Amino acid sequence: HYKISQRYVVYGVDSYQTQKQTDEEMTLRYLFHTSKHLNPYVLAGYSRIQVVNTDTLRTPGWTFNYNNSTQYKDEKCYEDLMLGVGTIVPFNRYFGARADVRVLIVGARYRRDDGISWSDSSAGAAFTGTVYANLFQGLNIQAGGRAQALGSNVVGGFSRYGIFGSLGYSFKL
């Protein structure tokens, strides 16, 4: 979750804006054990990013035109199916690194608080790099970085880069 708060004073109008972002992702990887030092993989998965914006006018007498209210709220939601390739480089039994590139099929939706909405679909891409530590019996932790760009001509594209941490579980079939 991300939460951002901003205050604007433009032409005497006091406006306060908050943004809440929620991310969900599930990926499955199939590893090809080619050597002790390099394990390429293919991946498939699903992710969902939801961004909710709320803008509140604090100046008496001012309202938004479309709803005659002092508050404006909208939501953008990006859902994508992903396919990708990558590799894992184990340093030893407990530590290693991995990197992958993903192609995304993106469905995007915009919805405003008065019920007006629109949607479209497009493509996107992502790159992920992490270091990991195997804890015990398949449980692992990761820290890494990601750059991601989601396309949408109607809703508006979404791109970001940053760092993350995650907890995962690996098992062998």
Side-chain angles (χ1 to χ4, degrees), residues 8 13-18 53-74 110 112-114:
Y8 300 98
V13 179
D14 188 4
S15 174
Y16 181 76
Q17 184 181 54
T18 61
N53 292 300
T54 304
D55 198 353
T56 303
L57 297 175
R58 294 180 171 176
T59 304
W62 285 85
T63 61
F64 289 101
N65 289 335
Y66 81 96
N67 66 0
N68 201 29
S69 172
T70 58
Q71 193 171 72
Y72 171 96
K73 189 173 185 178
D74 68 3
Y110 173 87
R112 204 166 66 182
D113 58 358
D114 62 353

Side-chain angles (χ1 to χ4, degrees), residues 35-39 88-98 131-135 140 172:
S35 78
K36 188 171 133 180
H37 304 287
L38 189 68
N39 296 305
I88 294 176
V89 180
F91 303 142
N92 58 40
R93 184 175 168 202
Y94 299 102
F95 300 100
R98 73 171 178 83
V131 292
Y132 67 86
N134 292 319
L135 301 176
N140 59 67
K172 296 179 182 179

Side-chain angles (χ1 to χ4, degrees), residues 3-164:
K3 191 168 186 176
I4 300 170
S5 299
Q6 299 175 345
R7 181 174 182 229
Y8 300 98
V9 179
V10 179
Y11 303 113
V13 179
D14 188 4
S15 174
Y16 181 76
Q17 184 181 54
T18 61
Q19 181 182 84
K20 181 181 176 187
Q21 179 178 319
T22 306
D23 293 28
E24 301 166 357
E25 179 179 292
M26 183 181 78
T27 54
L28 298 172
R29 293 180 191 86
Y30 182 81
L31 279 66
F32 302 97
H33 295 284
T34 57
S35 78
K36 188 171 133 180
H37 304 287
L38 189 68
N39 296 305
Y41 61 85
V42 294
L43 69 84
Y46 164 83
S47 77
R48 180 176 187 271
I49 299 170
Q50 180 184 30
V51 181
V52 178
N53 292 300
T54 304
D55 198 353
T56 303
L57 297 175
R58 294 180 171 176
T59 304
W62 285 85
T63 61
F64 289 101
N65 289 335
Y66 81 96
N67 66 0
N68 201 29
S69 172
T70 58
Q71 193 171 72
Y72 171 96
K73 189 173 185 178
D74 68 3
E75 171 192 313
K76 290 182 179 180
C77 185
Y78 301 88
E79 295 181 289
D80 62 76
L81 298 174
M82 65 182 87
L83 297 171
V85 294
T87 191
I88 294 176
V89 180
F91 303 142
N92 58 40
R93 184 175 168 202
Y94 299 102
F95 300 100
R98 73 171 178 83
D100 61 54
V101 62
R102 306 164 185 207
V103 175
L104 313 170
I105 301 167
V106 182
R109 182 184 75 245
Y110 173 87
R111 184 173 53 214
R112 204 166 66 182
D113 58 358
D114 62 353
I116 291 177
S117 66
W118 51 86
S119 62
D120 73 342
S121 58
S122 189
F127 172 79
T128 304
T130 69
V131 292
Y132 67 86
N134 292 319
L135 301 176
F136 60 92
Q137 297 181 356
L139 191 63
N140 59 67
I141 57 172
Q142 298 180 45
R146 174 172 294 161
Q148 186 174 27
L150 306 175
S152 174
N153 294 324
V154 175
V155 173
F158 182 82
S159 61
R160 66 183 176 170
Y161 57 91
I163 58 173
F164 67 90

